[in-house]
PDB file of all heavy atoms in Angstrom:
ATOM      1  N   GLY A 230      53.975 112.473 148.828  1.00 96.00           N
ATOM      2  CA  GLY A 230      54.804 113.347 149.638  1.00 96.00           C
ATOM      3  C   GLY A 230      56.221 113.441 149.101  1.00 96.00           C
ATOM      4  O   GLY A 230      56.659 112.620 148.287  1.00 96.00           O
ATOM      5  N   GLU A 231      56.939 114.452 149.553  1.00 94.00           N
ATOM      6  CA  GLU A 231      58.333 114.593 149.117  1.00 94.00           C
ATOM      7  C   GLU A 231      59.195 113.434 149.601  1.00 94.00           C
ATOM      8  O   GLU A 231      60.281 113.213 149.073  1.00 94.00           O
ATOM      9  CB  GLU A 231      58.896 115.932 149.599  1.00 94.00           C
ATOM     10  CG  GLU A 231      58.311 117.119 148.849  1.00 94.00           C
ATOM     11  CD  GLU A 231      59.044 118.406 149.129  1.00 94.00           C
ATOM     12  OE1 GLU A 231      59.820 118.453 150.120  1.00 94.00           O
ATOM     13  OE2 GLU A 231      58.857 119.375 148.363  1.00 94.00           O
ATOM     14  N   ASP A 232      58.691 112.709 150.608  1.00 94.00           N
ATOM     15  CA  ASP A 232      59.417 111.528 151.089  1.00 94.00           C
ATOM     16  C   ASP A 232      58.971 110.268 150.346  1.00 94.00           C
ATOM     17  O   ASP A 232      59.283 109.158 150.765  1.00 94.00           O
ATOM     18  CB  ASP A 232      59.207 111.347 152.592  1.00 94.00           C
ATOM     19  CG  ASP A 232      57.746 111.141 152.965  1.00 94.00           C
ATOM     20  OD1 ASP A 232      56.876 111.205 152.057  1.00 94.00           O
ATOM     21  OD2 ASP A 232      57.466 110.898 154.151  1.00 94.00           O
ATOM     22  N   GLU A 233      58.194 110.493 149.243  1.00 95.00           N
ATOM     23  CA  GLU A 233      57.674 109.423 148.383  1.00 95.00           C
ATOM     24  C   GLU A 233      56.548 108.621 149.045  1.00 95.00           C
ATOM     25  O   GLU A 233      56.127 107.590 148.521  1.00 95.00           O
ATOM     26  CB  GLU A 233      58.797 108.472 147.931  1.00 95.00           C
ATOM     27  CG  GLU A 233      59.905 109.155 147.159  1.00 95.00           C
ATOM     28  CD  GLU A 233      59.416 109.860 145.896  1.00 95.00           C
ATOM     29  OE1 GLU A 233      58.543 109.306 145.214  1.00 95.00           O
ATOM     30  OE2 GLU A 233      59.901 110.976 145.618  1.00 95.00           O
ATOM     31  N   LYS A 234      56.041 109.090 150.167  1.00 94.00           N
ATOM     32  CA  LYS A 234      54.904 108.431 150.801  1.00 94.00           C
ATOM     33  C   LYS A 234      53.631 108.762 150.032  1.00 94.00           C
ATOM     34  O   LYS A 234      53.386 109.909 149.677  1.00 94.00           O
ATOM     35  CB  LYS A 234      54.764 108.886 152.262  1.00 94.00           C
ATOM     36  CG  LYS A 234      53.583 108.253 152.993  1.00 94.00           C
ATOM     37  CD  LYS A 234      53.499 108.764 154.430  1.00 94.00           C
ATOM     38  CE  LYS A 234      52.316 108.140 155.162  1.00 94.00           C
ATOM     39  NZ  LYS A 234      52.203 108.629 156.558  1.00 94.00           N
ATOM     40  N   LYS A 235      52.792 107.745 149.779  1.00 96.00           N
ATOM     41  CA  LYS A 235      51.533 107.931 149.067  1.00 96.00           C
ATOM     42  C   LYS A 235      50.359 107.850 150.042  1.00 96.00           C
ATOM     43  O   LYS A 235      50.343 107.001 150.936  1.00 96.00           O
ATOM     44  CB  LYS A 235      51.365 106.875 147.978  1.00 96.00           C
ATOM     45  CG  LYS A 235      52.379 106.970 146.849  1.00 96.00           C
ATOM     46  CD  LYS A 235      52.120 105.897 145.800  1.00 96.00           C
ATOM     47  CE  LYS A 235      53.146 105.977 144.666  1.00 96.00           C
ATOM     48  NZ  LYS A 235      52.897 104.929 143.633  1.00 96.00           N
ATOM     49  N   ILE A 236      49.412 108.756 149.865  1.00 97.00           N
ATOM     50  CA  ILE A 236      48.192 108.734 150.669  1.00 97.00           C
ATOM     51  C   ILE A 236      47.005 108.746 149.708  1.00 97.00           C
ATOM     52  O   ILE A 236      46.892 109.627 148.849  1.00 97.00           O
ATOM     53  CB  ILE A 236      48.115 109.950 151.617  1.00 97.00           C
ATOM     54  CG1 ILE A 236      49.291 109.946 152.597  1.00 97.00           C
ATOM     55  CG2 ILE A 236      46.784 109.961 152.370  1.00 97.00           C
ATOM     56  CD1 ILE A 236      49.342 111.154 153.507  1.00 97.00           C
ATOM     57  N   ASN A 237      46.133 107.768 149.834  1.00 97.00           N
ATOM     58  CA  ASN A 237      44.972 107.679 148.949  1.00 97.00           C
ATOM     59  C   ASN A 237      43.898 108.686 149.351  1.00 97.00           C
ATOM     60  O   ASN A 237      43.595 108.852 150.542  1.00 97.00           O
ATOM     61  CB  ASN A 237      44.381 106.268 148.978  1.00 97.00           C
ATOM     62  CG  ASN A 237      45.332 105.223 148.427  1.00 97.00           C
ATOM     63  OD1 ASN A 237      46.106 105.499 147.521  1.00 97.00           O
ATOM     64  ND2 ASN A 237      45.275 104.019 148.986  1.00 97.00           N
ATOM     65  N   LEU A 238      43.315 109.325 148.342  1.00 97.00           N
ATOM     66  CA  LEU A 238      42.257 110.309 148.574  1.00 97.00           C
ATOM     67  C   LEU A 238      41.268 110.270 147.416  1.00 97.00           C
ATOM     68  O   LEU A 238      41.643 109.995 146.278  1.00 97.00           O
ATOM     69  CB  LEU A 238      42.820 111.732 148.667  1.00 97.00           C
ATOM     70  CG  LEU A 238      43.611 112.150 149.904  1.00 97.00           C
ATOM     71  CD1 LEU A 238      44.209 113.531 149.673  1.00 97.00           C
ATOM     72  CD2 LEU A 238      42.718 112.161 151.137  1.00 97.00           C
ATOM     73  N   ASP A 239      40.004 110.586 147.723  1.00 97.00           N
ATOM     74  CA  ASP A 239      38.998 110.754 146.670  1.00 97.00           C
ATOM     75  C   ASP A 239      38.840 112.217 146.281  1.00 97.00           C
ATOM     76  O   ASP A 239      38.398 112.518 145.171  1.00 97.00           O
ATOM     77  CB  ASP A 239      37.647 110.211 147.152  1.00 97.00           C
ATOM     78  CG  ASP A 239      37.710 108.724 147.474  1.00 97.00           C
ATOM     79  OD1 ASP A 239      38.012 107.950 146.545  1.00 97.00           O
ATOM     80  OD2 ASP A 239      37.463 108.359 148.632  1.00 97.00           O
ATOM     81  N   GLY A 240      39.165 113.105 147.207  1.00 97.00           N
ATOM     82  CA  GLY A 240      39.006 114.522 146.923  1.00 97.00           C
ATOM     83  C   GLY A 240      39.950 115.370 147.743  1.00 97.00           C
ATOM     84  O   GLY A 240      40.391 114.963 148.824  1.00 97.00           O
ATOM     85  N   MET A 241      40.267 116.547 147.209  1.00 97.00           N
ATOM     86  CA  MET A 241      41.099 117.511 147.931  1.00 97.00           C
ATOM     87  C   MET A 241      40.537 118.912 147.680  1.00 97.00           C
ATOM     88  O   MET A 241      40.364 119.329 146.534  1.00 97.00           O
ATOM     89  CB  MET A 241      42.548 117.453 147.460  1.00 97.00           C
ATOM     90  CG  MET A 241      43.450 118.490 148.123  1.00 97.00           C
ATOM     91  SD  MET A 241      43.781 118.156 149.876  1.00 97.00           S
ATOM     92  CE  MET A 241      45.195 117.047 149.731  1.00 97.00           C
ATOM     93  N   PHE A 242      40.236 119.606 148.779  1.00 95.00           N
ATOM     94  CA  PHE A 242      39.768 120.987 148.696  1.00 95.00           C
ATOM     95  C   PHE A 242      40.913 121.922 149.072  1.00 95.00           C
ATOM     96  O   PHE A 242      41.457 121.834 150.173  1.00 95.00           O
ATOM     97  CB  PHE A 242      38.577 121.205 149.628  1.00 95.00           C
ATOM     98  CG  PHE A 242      37.321 120.543 149.134  1.00 95.00           C
ATOM     99  CD1 PHE A 242      37.076 119.204 149.418  1.00 95.00           C
ATOM    100  CD2 PHE A 242      36.404 121.242 148.374  1.00 95.00           C
ATOM    101  CE1 PHE A 242      35.936 118.577 148.948  1.00 95.00           C
ATOM    102  CE2 PHE A 242      35.260 120.633 147.898  1.00 95.00           C
ATOM    103  CZ  PHE A 242      35.020 119.295 148.185  1.00 95.00           C
ATOM    104  N   ILE A 243      41.295 122.777 148.141  1.00 93.00           N
ATOM    105  CA  ILE A 243      42.393 123.703 148.394  1.00 93.00           C
ATOM    106  C   ILE A 243      41.837 124.943 149.077  1.00 93.00           C
ATOM    107  O   ILE A 243      40.974 125.641 148.532  1.00 93.00           O
ATOM    108  CB  ILE A 243      43.122 124.054 147.083  1.00 93.00           C
ATOM    109  CG1 ILE A 243      43.745 122.779 146.500  1.00 93.00           C
ATOM    110  CG2 ILE A 243      44.201 125.110 147.340  1.00 93.00           C
ATOM    111  CD1 ILE A 243      44.413 122.956 145.166  1.00 93.00           C
ATOM    112  N   ALA A 244      42.307 125.200 150.274  1.00 89.00           N
ATOM    113  CA  ALA A 244      41.790 126.302 151.091  1.00 89.00           C
ATOM    114  C   ALA A 244      42.937 127.090 151.690  1.00 89.00           C
ATOM    115  O   ALA A 244      43.013 127.311 152.897  1.00 89.00           O
ATOM    116  CB  ALA A 244      40.874 125.754 152.192  1.00 89.00           C
ATOM    117  N   LYS A 245      43.852 127.482 150.819  1.00 86.00           N
ATOM    118  CA  LYS A 245      44.954 128.337 151.257  1.00 86.00           C
ATOM    119  C   LYS A 245      44.478 129.779 151.253  1.00 86.00           C
ATOM    120  O   LYS A 245      43.648 130.166 150.440  1.00 86.00           O
ATOM    121  CB  LYS A 245      46.149 128.187 150.309  1.00 86.00           C
ATOM    122  CG  LYS A 245      46.809 126.813 150.376  1.00 86.00           C
ATOM    123  CD  LYS A 245      47.850 126.650 149.285  1.00 86.00           C
ATOM    124  CE  LYS A 245      49.017 127.631 149.439  1.00 86.00           C
ATOM    125  NZ  LYS A 245      49.783 127.376 150.684  1.00 86.00           N
ATOM    126  N   GLY A 246      45.031 130.570 152.165  1.00 70.00           N
ATOM    127  CA  GLY A 246      44.670 131.985 152.201  1.00 70.00           C
ATOM    128  C   GLY A 246      43.292 132.189 152.783  1.00 70.00           C
ATOM    129  O   GLY A 246      42.952 131.642 153.836  1.00 70.00           O
ATOM    130  N   VAL A 247      42.439 132.967 152.069  1.00 66.00           N
ATOM    131  CA  VAL A 247      41.119 133.331 152.558  1.00 66.00           C
ATOM    132  C   VAL A 247      40.076 132.984 151.500  1.00 66.00           C
ATOM    133  O   VAL A 247      40.401 132.761 150.347  1.00 66.00           O
ATOM    134  CB  VAL A 247      41.059 134.837 152.892  1.00 66.00           C
ATOM    135  CG1 VAL A 247      42.026 135.171 154.002  1.00 66.00           C
ATOM    136  CG2 VAL A 247      41.373 135.678 151.645  1.00 66.00           C
TER     137      VAL A 247
END
Side-chain angles (χ1 to χ4, degrees):
E231 289 191 345
D232 61 356
E233 301 301 321
K234 179 181 180 181
K235 294 181 181 180
I236 299 176
N237 295 327
L238 288 173
D239 299 299
M241 177 70 86
F242 288 85
I243 297 176
K245 292 172 64 64
V247 297

